[in-house]
Amino acid sequence: MTHKLKGYVSSRILEALKWKTSPNNFMPTLLSNHITIGKEKNGTNIEFHLSRTSLKKVLSTSFSDKEVNMSEVKNVVADDIICDVHEEVTKRDVSIVFQINRNMFIKEVLQDITCDTVMWRKTLAQNLLPQSKENKVVIEYSSPNIAKPFHMGHLRSTIIGNFIANLLEFLSHKVVRLNYLGDWGTQFGLLQVGLEMCGYSETLIKQNPMQLLYKAYVEANKKAETDSSISAKAREAFHCLEEGNTENMEKWKLFRYYTEQELRHVYQRLGICFDEYKWESEYSAKDIGSILHSLEARGILKTESDGRQVVEINQQWRVPIMKSDGSTLYLTRDIAAALDRYDHHKFTEMLYVVDNAQTDHFTALFGILSNMQLPWAASLKHVKFGRIRGMSTRKGSVVFLTDILDEVRDIMAKKQQESRTTKVFLDKNEKTTDILGTSAVIINDLKQRRQRDYEFDWNRALQVQGDTGVKLQYTHCRLWNLEKNCGTSLPLECDPSVLQEPEAIFLIKDIARFNEVIMKSYEELEACVLVNYLFRFCNLINRAFDILQVKNEDVYVGSQRLLLFHASRIVLNQGMKILGLQPLHQM
């Protein structure tokens, strides 16, 4: 969308600067990606804006031996494509503004996207990241513990991580979606003790694993507060697990299997899947001897007087990685996991989508891997996020995500039954209401700034009116139904002269902005950039619906308007999928 026009403007800029040749590492798309489309305040004119700061930055990087003369850029001569060139002063900068032939703009935007959607996606990715190789990115997200509930922190990690994975795949990165499940550590010794105390049978646990494992853990933890022998038993139980006690390990694997199956069901409801499930227990004490030897050989592993082994970071921070009894810590297992992942995947980058509270942990992890002089250590990144406060069912406090999703589904079913516009029969088990409910939860989270804590509000998240996930689904259904029921066929070619109403122009300009929004979301790893764009986009679509009739209109005019709405649906559909929604056709 508009990459040809932006590329043309870039070439004219270079001509105006009289730079006949370009260095080998310079590509015009590096400049065109800094050209943005003017906002609605400019009416139906089509304007490309390029700030002086961006122009100087891009050109001076590639043409270090040349001076950028801004007055020469303003002297670009108007032609059939560029109608006018002038400067515009803003609060922060000065932009060079290129007014573009409106009809050429409309035709490129609509035909590029509607002729071949697959090619449109591929071309868009190539033009947004022209110099990128085929990057391989491992993303660790969700990562619940089997002895604890799938709480709201895991929900945020799941939703944000899925968005990032979808976004990178859209931009042609090879992505490995990894769920690193917590099933190890002293807390799991507590779980083993708790299971014995509660007397749960394997048959009973199989029927309701998450709830019963959690109850057993809570019971043992509560007793440990007043009885020190419970904690001692838990440490001993975990030590036996690390030593590979056969009976304990077989039970552990069985409980782990039950838990994984239940988790997969929750992920399926959210429309989320993983390429790999990894377990913390895969990196037990007996598996990390080589890591300790490597740290010791480099002189960065120290033994404290109490027998603990620590690693010194930056000559001022001593971080424990082994307990005095030889048991591993979470940090130790994360070191082993990182080494294992690089051996298997040879990734270009690895992202950990984990909340702000774990900042010190990842500072220590990255510092240790860097001290081990691993060249790929610099490619690791902690993608932080804030916490959700106050999210429980309306009936009271709850700790399990399935309860939240069930209540969301039931509320949406009630709202749909009360709505006059409902198109399909719904009951509490209807898949449509489940998708609507999860859409509301996902968008309510992703419209927040990633690192911001926020208060969950049921009424705001589930309202039918306003900026919610329901709004995106409603607009998509409206566009789908128009295409199926308008009685008009899509034209073979776009005729820009028919699409001259302000509502059409504003909508086309917003379609063309999609690539700019995707690039900004990628640079910041912020979903709210895309969410807010789609909210505004839906407003423009619904405004255009009221003015640009397709049914009962001249066939030729109706078909051109249908092309516009068809392109709008493709963009909305793609944006929703990147965010992790399953676009509905009826609701």
Side-chain angles (χ1 to χ4, degrees), residues 39-46 102 105-106 496-510 513 539-541 543-545 547-548 561 564:
K39 303 294 184 183
E40 274 188 52
K41 67 177 183 178
N42 301 310
T44 58
N45 285 340
I46 308 299
R102 185 195 298 163
F105 176 84
I106 293 171
S497 67
V498 177
L499 300 170
Q500 296 296 316
E501 296 87 352
E503 292 77 14
I505 302 300
F506 294 153
L507 187 52
I508 293 165
K509 286 165 75 171
D510 233 45
R513 280 194 197 101
N539 290 338
L540 291 171
I541 290 169
R543 196 183 308 163
F545 260 124
I547 304 298
L548 307 176
R561 290 175 177 176
L564 171 59

Side-chain angles (χ1 to χ4, degrees), residues 507-553:
L507 187 52
I508 293 165
K509 286 165 75 171
D510 233 45
I511 290 172
R513 280 194 197 101
F514 182 67
N515 60 335
E516 297 173 13
V517 171
I518 290 295
M519 193 62 190
K520 188 175 180 184
S521 295
Y522 169 74
E523 289 170 344
E524 300 177 7
L525 293 182
E526 280 285 7
C528 65
V529 173
L530 178 56
V531 172
N532 290 328
Y533 162 79
L534 292 182
F535 286 154
R536 184 180 66 248
F537 188 48
C538 285
N539 290 338
L540 291 171
I541 290 169
N542 289 313
R543 196 183 308 163
F545 260 124
D546 296 334
I547 304 298
L548 307 176
Q549 297 298 312
V550 176
K551 284 183 177 181
N552 304 319
E553 183 60 77

Side-chain angles (χ1 to χ4, degrees), residues 6 165 334 382 406 428 477 536 540 555 571:
K6 288 183 177 180
D334 252 5
H382 176 200
D406 286 348
K428 68 180 290 184
C477 289
R536 184 180 66 248
L540 291 171
V555 174
V571 169

Side-chain angles (χ1 to χ4, degrees), residues 12 254 263 314 535:
R12 291 296 309 278
L254 194 59
L263 282 171
N314 298 330
F535 286 154

Side-chain angles (χ1 to χ4, degrees), residues 195 199-210 212 251 254-255 258 262:
L195 288 170
Y200 295 143
S201 67
E202 290 182 22
T203 303
L204 195 61
I205 293 172
K206 181 180 180 180
Q207 294 170 356
N208 203 0
M210 293 292 281
L212 292 185
K251 285 184 180 179
L254 194 59
F255 298 154
Y258 296 151
E262 186 160 326

